[in-house]
Amino acid sequence: MQRQKGLKLVAKAKKNQAFEILTHSVAPGERKVIEIEAAKLYTHSPLSIPVEIINGQHAGPILMVNAAIHGDELNGVEIVRQLINNVDPKTLKGTLIAVPIVNVFGFIHKSRYLPDRRDLNRCFPGSEKGSLASRMAHTFFTQIAKRCDYIVDLHTGAIHRTNLPQLRADLSNPETLRIAHAFGTPVIVDSPLRDGSLRSEAEKCNIPVLTYEAGEALRFEPIAINAGYVGVQRVMQAIGMLKASRKRLPEAVIAKSTSWLRAESDGILRTVVTLGEQVEKGQVLAYISAPLGHSEIELRAHKGGIVIGQQTLPLVNEGDAVFHLAYFTEDDEMVGQTVETYIDEIIEADTDQLTNGQITTSTL
């Protein structure tokens, strides 16, 4: 065979197979919306989990991106919407399972919980004959989650509590660590697995899971949404589902530990620091005063770190968790600069997307 200088032989991508789920079949290069019955209302009307399957033209891994396991956590719902509107099955390698709303009960009622007040993310893998929460967890876990090679689970802070974009992951798994760095949040928390969570049960099945935390419940927040959307795209590039980008990934720093700083008295809270801010030991983070303002208590950091979460409601009782601080082995100044650069890049990306029909409002 004659050698031709500069000629590169590129192996043809392997064609994908039809993706079978329940009674549905999604051909390569196609997408399909299915409904998975989760439960029934008192009227016997079925309540279903909406799922969109995007089956790539070419073979590759199976990734699930899901949101609203807690029904009031809405940023992830918008991330999933943007994702499915921008993924082309003709160029996709593998299969994307997009689940914008897992806890449909909570979503309808704007509640974190199910009607029985159970937390769905403490009920996995569930039981076919258990409580409502346990049955929903069982259906979702066995019929969808266990089909996946990777999972990105999208969350926010609770009501009146907001989070800096961050990842929670079991970094003892090398593949989980690799895709966590690919996602590209400024802070990665090496978080122990919590029994009953989707992350814990999936990791037991050797499925790497990233839990993305950003923003506050019952709100759409552009920085949290854009950071999540870009992060999921980077993961898809890292696992070979999308064409790799030559753009340098942002630096991510692994937190050595985290802790909550709690209110030392009852009163009205006035914060003087913001998310992502670097704080020093002994620095005043907030003041707690009586309504008439004659007495005031300073809330100080016990040691230096980065603010990765904080309460947004200016009313506190003694013992309330007010600031979530992450601590690092690296130089604090370097970590603070990393966070600041990351936020600037996301804000710039938000400005660039104003003409693309993506969400830019700050609240619902």
Side-chain angles (χ1 to χ4, degrees):
M1 179 183 294
Q2 184 179 2
R3 297 178 62 185
Q4 298 182 19
K5 190 175 182 180
L7 180 64
K8 294 184 179 179
L9 300 178
V10 180
K12 188 175 181 180
K14 183 180 178 182
K15 186 174 174 62
N16 204 0
Q17 298 179 340
F19 185 80
E20 309 288 341
I21 182 168
L22 300 177
T23 59
H24 303 275
S25 179
V26 187
E30 292 185 351
R31 61 172 72 210
K32 182 177 288 187
V33 175
I34 66 173
E35 300 280 341
I36 296 180
E37 186 173 319
K40 288 185 179 179
L41 300 174
Y42 302 122
T43 59
H44 285 202
S45 300
L47 196 60
S48 301
I49 299 173
V51 179
E52 181 155 345
I53 309 294
I54 304 176
N55 198 24
Q57 188 76 49
H58 310 292
I62 301 171
L63 167 69
M64 178 174 72
V65 181
N66 65 270
I69 281 183
H70 297 130
D72 59 356
E73 297 181 356
L74 305 183
N75 284 329
V77 179
E78 174 61 16
I79 292 170
V80 173
R81 185 195 71 82
Q82 291 188 15
L83 184 65
I84 60 178
N85 284 342
N86 286 282
V87 170
D88 183 358
K90 302 299 182 184
T91 58
L92 179 68
K93 293 181 179 179
T95 305
L96 174 65
I97 302 176
V99 191
I101 305 163
V102 179
N103 182 357
V104 286
F105 273 109
F107 186 80
I108 290 170
H109 295 290
K110 307 180 186 69
S111 169
R112 177 184 180 89
Y113 303 105
L114 288 162
D116 58 3
R117 295 299 297 169
R118 292 178 187 266
D119 184 335
L120 183 58
N121 207 31
R122 298 293 179 268
C123 296
F124 290 102
S127 169
E128 195 173 7
K129 297 182 179 179
S131 66
L132 171 63
S134 186
R135 292 179 188 220
M136 282 188 65
H138 178 266
T139 297
F140 182 71
F141 192 74
T142 57
Q143 295 185 4
I144 304 179
K146 289 183 74 173
R147 300 287 307 276
C148 303
D149 299 313
Y150 299 89
I151 295 174
V152 178
D153 184 18
L154 305 172
H155 288 260
T156 76
I159 293 177
H160 306 312
R161 186 175 293 170
T162 187
N163 286 331
L164 180 77
Q166 60 195 264
L167 288 178
R168 313 277 176 85
D170 175 20
L171 302 184
S172 65
N173 182 334
E175 183 64 1
T176 304
L177 176 61
R178 184 181 77 87
I179 63 173
H181 278 291
F183 194 106
T185 56
V187 174
I188 301 172
V189 179
D190 188 1
S191 179
L193 298 175
R194 181 172 292 181
D195 287 344
S197 67
L198 174 63
R199 182 164 66 93
S200 172
E201 298 307 317
E203 288 276 2
K204 290 177 184 177
C205 297
N206 296 316
I207 303 170
V209 181
L210 300 181
T211 299
Y212 174 67
E213 292 271 0
E216 183 178 353
L218 294 177
R219 292 178 180 271
F220 272 175
E221 296 171 286
I223 289 179
I225 292 167
N226 291 334
Y229 172 69
V230 171
V232 173
Q233 282 191 315
R234 288 173 178 153
V235 169
M236 294 177 73
Q237 291 168 348
I239 63 179
M241 297 183 74
L242 296 177
K243 184 178 179 181
S245 171
R246 294 183 178 180
K247 187 176 180 181
R248 183 180 64 85
L249 291 176
E251 295 292 333
V253 186
I254 298 173
K256 180 180 66 173
S257 62
T258 69
S259 68
W260 279 94
L261 187 63
R262 298 183 178 276
E264 298 173 1
S265 69
D266 311 294
I268 297 174
L269 180 75
R270 292 184 292 112
T271 61
V272 293
V273 296
T274 59
L275 281 181
E277 190 167 333
Q278 175 190 338
V279 299
E280 300 177 354
K281 181 179 179 179
Q283 180 177 337
V284 175
L285 308 186
Y287 298 93
I288 301 173
S289 61
L292 295 177
H294 297 309
S295 62
E296 188 171 74
I297 292 178
E298 297 175 341
L299 191 59
R300 295 178 178 271
H302 299 316
K303 57 181 180 177
I306 299 292
V307 180
I308 63 169
Q310 69 180 71
Q311 178 170 316
T312 57
L313 183 69
L315 307 174
V316 294
N317 290 115
E318 185 175 358
D320 283 354
V322 180
F323 293 101
H324 195 192
L325 299 182
Y327 310 109
F328 304 88
T329 54
E330 292 86 352
D331 180 79
D332 282 344
E333 186 174 342
M334 182 272 290
V335 175
Q337 186 175 0
T338 297
V339 173
E340 185 177 344
T341 301
Y342 173 86
I343 293 174
D344 289 342
E345 288 177 354
I346 294 300
I347 292 174
E348 183 179 346
D350 179 46
T351 303
D352 293 341
Q353 291 166 356
L354 282 170
T355 59
N356 294 336
Q358 295 182 345
I359 196 74
T360 54
T361 55
S362 59
T363 58
L364 285 177

